[in-house]
Amino acid sequence: MITRRLLALAATPVLAALLVGATQGGGGTPGSATAGDPYFPLSGDGGYHVVHYGLSMGYTPATRTLAATATLSSTATQDLSSFDLDLSGLTVSSVLVDGSRAQFSRTGVKLQVTPARPLLAGESFRTTVTYAGVPAKVTDPDGSADGWITEADGSSFVAGEPQGAMTWFPCNGHPLDKSTYDIAVAVPNGWTAVSNGRLVSQRTEGAKTVFAWHESRPMAAYLATASVAKFQVSQSWTAAGLPVYSAVDPREAKAAGPVLDQLPAVITWESSLFGRYPFDSAGAIVEHAHDVDYALETQSRPIYDRAPDIDTLVHETAHQWFGDSVTLGSWKDIWLNEGFATYTEWLWDAKHGGPSTAKRLAADYALPAGDDLWSFPAGDPGNGGNLFGTPPYERGAMVLEKLRETVGDQAFFSILKTWATDHRYGHGDTAQFIALSKKLAGKNSGTLDALFATWLYGKGKPAQL
Ligand code: ARG
Ligand code: ZN
């Protein structure tokens, strides 16, 4: 599946090398070595789907060493003579496909695997990768750190958006591919390893404790975590029977406590707006990692670089619907994550004594034309360095308030809930969101093309509010 789009991307040196390698193989079709995302052309492989990841890992904070076996249960979506996994750093000692030794080579962040015999389209196959080393974070186009981030005491802050999953496990690392996960981590006694979903077992064997986690709903690789620290753990159940597991660095416990106490109320309120909570567990991972300087909506259990304030808690919880359950298929659509999570903060604040959402929109609109807010369109960030800039967040929220004011509350909240429901556990793109808005807007649908053209795609500050 080497498309014209991919050939255009071959200007990227590593990718060009991969393509040359791919065409030399002969006998069958190699995987595409990309999911085709123009912002992150090295991410993913369009030739197979990973149904399930089983990660069995050991982490030693004193030496920052990870030793692991990853078992990927996949389905080929085309005939494959070889395929690629994303993996940055670390040393691979063996790769098996269906139990037989496979050839492998490494080029940049790609681990190319050539099975003993080619795979056929539709065939299920199991890839087992054994690897070890000291994981190293990657630096994103905006200069922020991403992936397995190690703190001074050896604890790990593991957050993979947009491309950091490959720093700790071999993956089809583009959000187009979503999978279930079993993640087990052995750590020295006294340390806790926290991941996504439910804690299935915790057992101490000699000097080590193994924490085994299961995420039962499809998850994009960037939302996986395996964060290790000397956490204080609390476990409880919401009134609705949802298990809540939170792990907090003791240095953040005093500030985090009263905010995390509100998590059940935030989930209940967001469920009333967006439909039932999509996952079978909840919680928080609160680290003392102030140098990271961001939080991430790791699936079912967001990770925070410090004790969150209530707005940040509301934001990361909203992402469980917008981003985690309904996932973008292209990084360009980041406003579908960040605009929606930010607008949820506006709604929370308006309900709790803050300014109305209309006032928030007007206050933003009053910002001068030179402000960062107007630096690029929320719906077209242009490159991966802009994903977490102001427009996808704040202008994204403005788009939703404009939509609400145009279609009215009833249609607007129905659009949000229908969006979350129709695309639950899958993907959604901007064209689909616009189509749904028009469908549910009734008599106001005719004005929506202009609204999105101006507020989502317009360059600079719109001429009028
Ligand atoms: N999605 C996160 C949020 O809740 C931000 C992630 C930032 N990632 C990064 N590499 N800077 O807004
Ligand atoms: Zn966000």
Side-chain angles (χ1 to χ4, degrees):
M1 201 186 68
I2 295 180
T3 58
R4 211 180 304 127
R5 178 168 51 162
L6 179 56
L7 289 171
L9 295 172
T12 312
V14 175
L15 200 53
L18 287 165
L19 289 171
V20 171
T23 49
Q24 284 168 350
T29 321
S32 56
T34 179
D37 195 305
Y39 290 7
F40 292 93
L42 296 177
S43 292
D45 182 319
Y48 65 94
H49 158 55
V50 183
V51 178
H52 183 79
Y53 289 87
L55 307 179
S56 177
M57 321 197 293
Y59 180 63
T60 310
T63 57
R64 287 111 165 97
T65 310
L66 186 69
T69 300
T71 305
L72 285 64
S73 306
S74 308
T75 308
T77 53
Q78 60 172 76
D79 290 353
L80 288 172
S81 56
S82 67
F83 60 92
D84 289 86
L85 293 159
D86 302 352
L87 187 66
S88 168
L90 304 167
T91 302
V92 175
S93 53
S94 82
V95 180
L96 306 180
V97 174
D98 288 333
S100 301
R101 265 186 200 284
Q103 305 243 358
F104 64 90
S105 63
R106 312 239 359 225
T107 310
V109 298
K110 290 295 188 182
L111 166 64
Q112 190 179 52
V113 178
T114 307
R117 63 166 185 85
L119 300 158
L120 299 175
E123 195 179 340
S124 296
F125 62 102
R126 203 173 69 244
T127 310
T128 310
V129 182
T130 304
Y131 62 102
V134 176
K137 64 191 178 188
V138 287
T139 302
D140 292 326
D142 67 2
S144 64
D146 184 10
W148 189 284
I149 300 169
T150 308
E151 295 298 313
D153 64 351
S155 62
S156 66
F157 180 103
V158 182
E161 189 184 25
Q163 51 171 350
M166 65 181 177
T167 67
W168 61 283
F169 66 101
C171 54
N172 192 348
H174 188 276
L176 268 176
D177 205 41
K178 296 175 73 167
S179 322
T180 54
Y181 284 73
D182 277 292
I183 301 177
V185 193
V187 292
N189 295 337
W191 295 79
T192 301
V194 189
S195 183
N196 314 87
R198 290 201 186 198
L199 181 63
V200 178
S201 68
Q202 173 180 339
R203 50 180 204 281
T204 298
E205 292 163 4
K208 300 231 158 131
T209 301
V210 183
F211 295 83
W213 297 87
H214 178 67
E215 175 51 62
S216 64
R217 298 297 186 181
M219 176 166 79
Y222 81 89
L223 296 167
T225 189
S227 294
V228 176
K230 290 187 170 165
F231 289 119
Q232 279 176 13
V233 170
S234 71
Q235 279 180 272
S236 60
W237 282 263
T238 65
L242 184 68
V244 180
Y245 181 110
S246 290
V248 179
D249 185 294
R251 291 165 286 186
E252 302 290 332
K254 195 163 175 275
V259 181
L260 295 187
D261 284 348
Q262 300 200 65
L263 179 59
V266 169
I267 290 174
T268 302
W269 172 70
E270 292 184 358
S271 306
S272 75
L273 291 172
F274 312 139
R276 78 175 157 77
Y277 178 76
F279 304 118
D280 66 4
S281 58
I285 306 169
V286 180
E287 295 219 15
H288 183 76
H290 295 197
D291 47 338
V292 173
D293 211 26
Y294 63 79
L296 178 67
E297 60 270 24
T298 37
Q299 189 155 309
S300 77
R301 189 164 293 105
I303 186 163
Y304 301 91
D305 64 328
R306 66 194 70 203
D309 58 20
I310 183 66
D311 281 319
T312 307
L313 187 88
V314 165
H315 180 109
E316 304 309 334
T317 306
H319 274 309
Q320 302 306 308
W321 285 263
F322 307 115
D324 295 13
S325 170
V326 182
T327 302
L328 45 72
S330 169
W331 285 111
K332 180 181 193 233
D333 281 335
I334 188 71
W335 84 280
L336 291 173
N337 294 5
E338 302 306 345
F340 286 51
T342 303
Y343 191 71
T344 310
E345 292 178 58
W346 289 19
L347 291 170
W348 177 273
D349 292 347
K351 204 177 135 62
H352 294 86
S356 69
T357 54
K359 281 221 172 79
R360 292 286 281 261
L361 172 66
D364 274 348
Y365 185 72
L367 291 170
D371 192 272
D372 260 3
L373 181 64
W374 314 114
S375 54
F376 59 87
D380 191 10
N383 63 70
N386 280 341
L387 292 183
F388 308 114
T390 311
Y393 288 73
E394 199 69 14
R395 278 181 76 174
M398 294 170 79
V399 170
L400 292 177
E401 176 60 18
K402 285 299 293 182
L403 177 62
R404 179 181 176 181
E405 292 176 11
T406 304
V407 304
D409 277 14
Q410 206 188 339
F412 176 73
F413 287 104
S414 157
I415 291 167
L416 291 188
K417 196 180 264 186
T418 307
W419 179 248
T421 307
D422 284 0
H423 298 273
R424 188 187 295 267
Y425 307 133
H427 296 90
D429 65 26
T430 301
Q432 291 169 324
F433 182 74
I434 293 175
L436 176 69
S437 301
K438 286 190 192 166
K439 187 174 137 196
L440 298 185
K443 63 176 169 40
N444 299 306
S445 65
T447 61
L448 292 188
D449 279 328
L451 185 156
F452 287 111
T454 303
W455 290 92
L456 184 57
Y457 290 119
K459 289 206 170 81
K461 181 173 174 175
Q464 59 188 43
L465 184 59

